[in-house]
PDB file of all heavy atoms in Angstrom:
ATOM      1  N   VAL A  55       7.950   3.833  -5.483  1.00  0.00           N
ATOM      2  CA  VAL A  55       7.253   2.652  -5.997  1.00  0.00           C
ATOM      3  C   VAL A  55       8.147   1.878  -6.964  1.00  0.00           C
ATOM      4  O   VAL A  55       8.139   0.644  -6.976  1.00  0.00           O
ATOM      5  CB  VAL A  55       5.912   3.045  -6.649  1.00  0.00           C
ATOM      6  CG1 VAL A  55       5.281   1.865  -7.372  1.00  0.00           C
ATOM      7  CG2 VAL A  55       4.954   3.602  -5.593  1.00  0.00           C
ATOM      8  N   THR A  56       8.953   2.581  -7.730  1.00  0.00           N
ATOM      9  CA  THR A  56       9.891   1.922  -8.645  1.00  0.00           C
ATOM     10  C   THR A  56      10.814   0.984  -7.877  1.00  0.00           C
ATOM     11  O   THR A  56      11.173  -0.100  -8.360  1.00  0.00           O
ATOM     12  CB  THR A  56      10.709   2.975  -9.424  1.00  0.00           C
ATOM     13  OG1 THR A  56       9.808   3.776 -10.178  1.00  0.00           O
ATOM     14  CG2 THR A  56      11.713   2.331 -10.355  1.00  0.00           C
ATOM     15  N   LYS A  57      11.197   1.368  -6.664  1.00  0.00           N
ATOM     16  CA  LYS A  57      12.077   0.534  -5.842  1.00  0.00           C
ATOM     17  C   LYS A  57      11.419  -0.801  -5.491  1.00  0.00           C
ATOM     18  O   LYS A  57      12.098  -1.818  -5.357  1.00  0.00           O
ATOM     19  CB  LYS A  57      12.471   1.280  -4.569  1.00  0.00           C
ATOM     20  CG  LYS A  57      13.338   2.500  -4.833  1.00  0.00           C
ATOM     21  CD  LYS A  57      13.581   3.269  -3.548  1.00  0.00           C
ATOM     22  CE  LYS A  57      14.295   4.577  -3.822  1.00  0.00           C
ATOM     23  NZ  LYS A  57      14.468   5.365  -2.585  1.00  0.00           N
ATOM     24  N   ILE A  58      10.098  -0.805  -5.317  1.00  0.00           N
ATOM     25  CA  ILE A  58       9.380  -2.062  -5.061  1.00  0.00           C
ATOM     26  C   ILE A  58       9.530  -2.981  -6.266  1.00  0.00           C
ATOM     27  O   ILE A  58       9.855  -4.163  -6.128  1.00  0.00           O
ATOM     28  CB  ILE A  58       7.888  -1.814  -4.766  1.00  0.00           C
ATOM     29  CG1 ILE A  58       7.693  -1.081  -3.454  1.00  0.00           C
ATOM     30  CG2 ILE A  58       7.115  -3.139  -4.764  1.00  0.00           C
ATOM     31  CD1 ILE A  58       6.248  -0.673  -3.172  1.00  0.00           C
ATOM     32  N   PHE A  59       9.287  -2.457  -7.458  1.00  0.00           N
ATOM     33  CA  PHE A  59       9.398  -3.260  -8.674  1.00  0.00           C
ATOM     34  C   PHE A  59      10.815  -3.821  -8.827  1.00  0.00           C
ATOM     35  O   PHE A  59      10.995  -4.981  -9.193  1.00  0.00           O
ATOM     36  CB  PHE A  59       9.013  -2.436  -9.904  1.00  0.00           C
ATOM     37  CG  PHE A  59       7.530  -2.279 -10.070  1.00  0.00           C
ATOM     38  CD1 PHE A  59       6.858  -1.219  -9.482  1.00  0.00           C
ATOM     39  CD2 PHE A  59       6.797  -3.193 -10.810  1.00  0.00           C
ATOM     40  CE1 PHE A  59       5.489  -1.077  -9.639  1.00  0.00           C
ATOM     41  CE2 PHE A  59       5.428  -3.061 -10.968  1.00  0.00           C
ATOM     42  CZ  PHE A  59       4.774  -1.998 -10.376  1.00  0.00           C
ATOM     43  N   GLU A  60      11.810  -3.003  -8.526  1.00  0.00           N
ATOM     44  CA  GLU A  60      13.197  -3.451  -8.639  1.00  0.00           C
ATOM     45  C   GLU A  60      13.520  -4.540  -7.620  1.00  0.00           C
ATOM     46  O   GLU A  60      14.128  -5.551  -7.958  1.00  0.00           O
ATOM     47  CB  GLU A  60      14.146  -2.267  -8.472  1.00  0.00           C
ATOM     48  CG  GLU A  60      14.086  -1.298  -9.634  1.00  0.00           C
ATOM     49  CD  GLU A  60      14.851  -0.014  -9.390  1.00  0.00           C
ATOM     50  OE1 GLU A  60      15.399   0.194  -8.288  1.00  0.00           O
ATOM     51  OE2 GLU A  60      14.895   0.823 -10.322  1.00  0.00           O
ATOM     52  N   ALA A  61      13.125  -4.344  -6.379  1.00  0.00           N
ATOM     53  CA  ALA A  61      13.431  -5.317  -5.324  1.00  0.00           C
ATOM     54  C   ALA A  61      12.769  -6.667  -5.587  1.00  0.00           C
ATOM     55  O   ALA A  61      13.353  -7.714  -5.310  1.00  0.00           O
ATOM     56  CB  ALA A  61      12.997  -4.767  -3.966  1.00  0.00           C
ATOM     57  N   LYS A  62      11.560  -6.651  -6.112  1.00  0.00           N
ATOM     58  CA  LYS A  62      10.816  -7.881  -6.349  1.00  0.00           C
ATOM     59  C   LYS A  62      11.098  -8.488  -7.723  1.00  0.00           C
ATOM     60  O   LYS A  62      10.642  -9.586  -7.997  1.00  0.00           O
ATOM     61  CB  LYS A  62       9.311  -7.614  -6.239  1.00  0.00           C
ATOM     62  CG  LYS A  62       8.827  -7.352  -4.838  1.00  0.00           C
ATOM     63  CD  LYS A  62       7.347  -7.049  -4.786  1.00  0.00           C
ATOM     64  CE  LYS A  62       6.460  -8.065  -5.416  1.00  0.00           C
ATOM     65  NZ  LYS A  62       6.361  -9.356  -4.738  1.00  0.00           N
ATOM     66  N   GLU A  63      11.818  -7.740  -8.561  1.00  0.00           N
ATOM     67  CA  GLU A  63      11.986  -8.138  -9.967  1.00  0.00           C
ATOM     68  C   GLU A  63      10.613  -8.352 -10.590  1.00  0.00           C
ATOM     69  O   GLU A  63      10.364  -9.316 -11.304  1.00  0.00           O
ATOM     70  CB  GLU A  63      12.866  -9.379 -10.073  1.00  0.00           C
ATOM     71  CG  GLU A  63      14.268  -9.149  -9.548  1.00  0.00           C
ATOM     72  CD  GLU A  63      15.148 -10.381  -9.554  1.00  0.00           C
ATOM     73  OE1 GLU A  63      14.684 -11.487  -9.917  1.00  0.00           O
ATOM     74  OE2 GLU A  63      16.328 -10.235  -9.195  1.00  0.00           O
ATOM     75  N   ARG A  64       9.728  -7.415 -10.312  1.00  0.00           N
ATOM     76  CA  ARG A  64       8.334  -7.476 -10.753  1.00  0.00           C
ATOM     77  C   ARG A  64       8.189  -6.745 -12.074  1.00  0.00           C
ATOM     78  O   ARG A  64       8.677  -5.625 -12.222  1.00  0.00           O
ATOM     79  CB  ARG A  64       7.456  -6.808  -9.681  1.00  0.00           C
ATOM     80  CG  ARG A  64       5.972  -6.859  -9.931  1.00  0.00           C
ATOM     81  CD  ARG A  64       5.245  -6.088  -8.820  1.00  0.00           C
ATOM     82  NE  ARG A  64       3.814  -6.112  -8.965  1.00  0.00           N
ATOM     83  CZ  ARG A  64       2.991  -6.807  -8.191  1.00  0.00           C
ATOM     84  NH1 ARG A  64       3.469  -7.515  -7.190  1.00  0.00           N
ATOM     85  NH2 ARG A  64       1.690  -6.773  -8.384  1.00  0.00           N
ATOM     86  N   PRO A  65       7.503  -7.335 -13.035  1.00  0.00           N
ATOM     87  CA  PRO A  65       7.291  -6.630 -14.306  1.00  0.00           C
ATOM     88  C   PRO A  65       6.397  -5.403 -14.112  1.00  0.00           C
ATOM     89  O   PRO A  65       5.470  -5.423 -13.301  1.00  0.00           O
ATOM     90  CB  PRO A  65       6.628  -7.669 -15.198  1.00  0.00           C
ATOM     91  CG  PRO A  65       6.101  -8.719 -14.287  1.00  0.00           C
ATOM     92  CD  PRO A  65       6.889  -8.652 -13.018  1.00  0.00           C
ATOM     93  N   ARG A  66       6.688  -4.378 -14.861  1.00  0.00           N
ATOM     94  CA  ARG A  66       5.952  -3.108 -14.703  1.00  0.00           C
ATOM     95  C   ARG A  66       4.511  -3.184 -15.191  1.00  0.00           C
ATOM     96  O   ARG A  66       3.737  -2.264 -14.978  1.00  0.00           O
ATOM     97  CB  ARG A  66       6.683  -1.986 -15.443  1.00  0.00           C
ATOM     98  CG  ARG A  66       8.107  -1.780 -14.962  1.00  0.00           C
ATOM     99  CD  ARG A  66       8.184  -0.691 -13.922  1.00  0.00           C
ATOM    100  NE  ARG A  66       9.520  -0.588 -13.371  1.00  0.00           N
ATOM    101  CZ  ARG A  66      10.339   0.411 -13.598  1.00  0.00           C
ATOM    102  NH1 ARG A  66       9.981   1.413 -14.359  1.00  0.00           N
ATOM    103  NH2 ARG A  66      11.531   0.420 -13.030  1.00  0.00           N
ATOM    104  N   PHE A  67       4.135  -4.273 -15.855  1.00  0.00           N
ATOM    105  CA  PHE A  67       2.757  -4.411 -16.328  1.00  0.00           C
ATOM    106  C   PHE A  67       1.833  -4.996 -15.263  1.00  0.00           C
ATOM    107  O   PHE A  67       0.648  -5.180 -15.497  1.00  0.00           O
ATOM    108  CB  PHE A  67       2.682  -5.253 -17.613  1.00  0.00           C
ATOM    109  CG  PHE A  67       3.180  -6.663 -17.455  1.00  0.00           C
ATOM    110  CD1 PHE A  67       2.409  -7.635 -16.822  1.00  0.00           C
ATOM    111  CD2 PHE A  67       4.422  -7.016 -17.946  1.00  0.00           C
ATOM    112  CE1 PHE A  67       2.874  -8.931 -16.678  1.00  0.00           C
ATOM    113  CE2 PHE A  67       4.899  -8.317 -17.816  1.00  0.00           C
ATOM    114  CZ  PHE A  67       4.115  -9.278 -17.180  1.00  0.00           C
ATOM    115  N   ASP A  68       2.363  -5.273 -14.069  1.00  0.00           N
ATOM    116  CA  ASP A  68       1.590  -5.889 -12.990  1.00  0.00           C
ATOM    117  C   ASP A  68       1.286  -4.839 -11.918  1.00  0.00           C
ATOM    118  O   ASP A  68       2.168  -4.470 -11.145  1.00  0.00           O
ATOM    119  CB  ASP A  68       2.388  -7.055 -12.402  1.00  0.00           C
ATOM    120  CG  ASP A  68       1.540  -7.980 -11.571  1.00  0.00           C
ATOM    121  OD1 ASP A  68       0.302  -7.925 -11.665  1.00  0.00           O
ATOM    122  OD2 ASP A  68       2.123  -8.773 -10.805  1.00  0.00           O
ATOM    123  N   PRO A  69       0.056  -4.328 -11.855  1.00  0.00           N
ATOM    124  CA  PRO A  69      -0.273  -3.232 -10.930  1.00  0.00           C
ATOM    125  C   PRO A  69      -0.199  -3.639  -9.462  1.00  0.00           C
ATOM    126  O   PRO A  69      -0.218  -4.820  -9.124  1.00  0.00           O
ATOM    127  CB  PRO A  69      -1.708  -2.855 -11.319  1.00  0.00           C
ATOM    128  CG  PRO A  69      -2.251  -4.039 -12.027  1.00  0.00           C
ATOM    129  CD  PRO A  69      -1.093  -4.770 -12.636  1.00  0.00           C
ATOM    130  N   LEU A  70      -0.119  -2.630  -8.605  1.00  0.00           N
ATOM    131  CA  LEU A  70      -0.012  -2.816  -7.165  1.00  0.00           C
ATOM    132  C   LEU A  70      -1.311  -2.424  -6.467  1.00  0.00           C
ATOM    133  O   LEU A  70      -2.069  -1.594  -6.964  1.00  0.00           O
ATOM    134  CB  LEU A  70       1.125  -1.953  -6.610  1.00  0.00           C
ATOM    135  CG  LEU A  70       2.498  -2.147  -7.234  1.00  0.00           C
ATOM    136  CD1 LEU A  70       3.488  -1.167  -6.636  1.00  0.00           C
ATOM    137  CD2 LEU A  70       2.965  -3.570  -7.068  1.00  0.00           C
ATOM    138  N   ILE A  71      -1.526  -2.980  -5.289  1.00  0.00           N
ATOM    139  CA  ILE A  71      -2.654  -2.585  -4.448  1.00  0.00           C
ATOM    140  C   ILE A  71      -2.243  -1.364  -3.635  1.00  0.00           C
ATOM    141  O   ILE A  71      -1.126  -1.286  -3.132  1.00  0.00           O
ATOM    142  CB  ILE A  71      -3.080  -3.728  -3.504  1.00  0.00           C
ATOM    143  CG1 ILE A  71      -3.638  -4.893  -4.317  1.00  0.00           C
ATOM    144  CG2 ILE A  71      -4.105  -3.240  -2.477  1.00  0.00           C
ATOM    145  CD1 ILE A  71      -3.949  -6.123  -3.481  1.00  0.00           C
ATOM    146  N   VAL A  72      -3.154  -0.420  -3.498  1.00  0.00           N
ATOM    147  CA  VAL A  72      -2.933   0.772  -2.685  1.00  0.00           C
ATOM    148  C   VAL A  72      -3.689   0.597  -1.374  1.00  0.00           C
ATOM    149  O   VAL A  72      -4.901   0.394  -1.361  1.00  0.00           O
ATOM    150  CB  VAL A  72      -3.399   2.047  -3.426  1.00  0.00           C
ATOM    151  CG1 VAL A  72      -3.314   3.263  -2.511  1.00  0.00           C
ATOM    152  CG2 VAL A  72      -2.577   2.253  -4.695  1.00  0.00           C
ATOM    153  N   HIS A  73      -2.931   0.655  -0.282  1.00  0.00           N
ATOM    154  CA  HIS A  73      -3.504   0.523   1.063  1.00  0.00           C
ATOM    155  C   HIS A  73      -3.751   1.930   1.615  1.00  0.00           C
ATOM    156  O   HIS A  73      -2.828   2.736   1.695  1.00  0.00           O
ATOM    157  CB  HIS A  73      -2.534  -0.230   1.972  1.00  0.00           C
ATOM    158  CG  HIS A  73      -2.272  -1.633   1.514  1.00  0.00           C
ATOM    159  ND1 HIS A  73      -2.850  -2.719   2.110  1.00  0.00           N
ATOM    160  CD2 HIS A  73      -1.494  -2.114   0.509  1.00  0.00           C
ATOM    161  CE1 HIS A  73      -2.439  -3.815   1.504  1.00  0.00           C
ATOM    162  NE2 HIS A  73      -1.616  -3.472   0.529  1.00  0.00           N
ATOM    163  N   LEU A  74      -4.983   2.197   1.965  1.00  0.00           N
ATOM    164  CA  LEU A  74      -5.381   3.530   2.424  1.00  0.00           C
ATOM    165  C   LEU A  74      -5.160   3.701   3.920  1.00  0.00           C
ATOM    166  O   LEU A  74      -5.337   2.747   4.686  1.00  0.00           O
ATOM    167  CB  LEU A  74      -6.856   3.757   2.100  1.00  0.00           C
ATOM    168  CG  LEU A  74      -7.275   3.542   0.647  1.00  0.00           C
ATOM    169  CD1 LEU A  74      -8.780   3.668   0.510  1.00  0.00           C
ATOM    170  CD2 LEU A  74      -6.554   4.501  -0.271  1.00  0.00           C
ATOM    171  N   PRO A  75      -4.838   4.923   4.355  1.00  0.00           N
ATOM    172  CA  PRO A  75      -4.713   5.160   5.792  1.00  0.00           C
ATOM    173  C   PRO A  75      -6.065   5.185   6.501  1.00  0.00           C
ATOM    174  O   PRO A  75      -6.162   4.849   7.680  1.00  0.00           O
ATOM    175  CB  PRO A  75      -4.027   6.515   5.900  1.00  0.00           C
ATOM    176  CG  PRO A  75      -4.076   7.124   4.554  1.00  0.00           C
ATOM    177  CD  PRO A  75      -4.407   6.059   3.564  1.00  0.00           C
TER     178      PRO A  75
END
Side-chain angles (χ1 to χ4, degrees):
V55 171
T56 299
K57 294 175 187 177
I58 293 174
F59 282 89
E60 291 171 357
K62 289 178 54 69
E63 298 176 357
R64 184 183 181 108
R66 302 265 174 110
F67 61 76
D68 196 16
L70 305 177
I71 294 174
V72 173
H73 297 257
L74 306 174

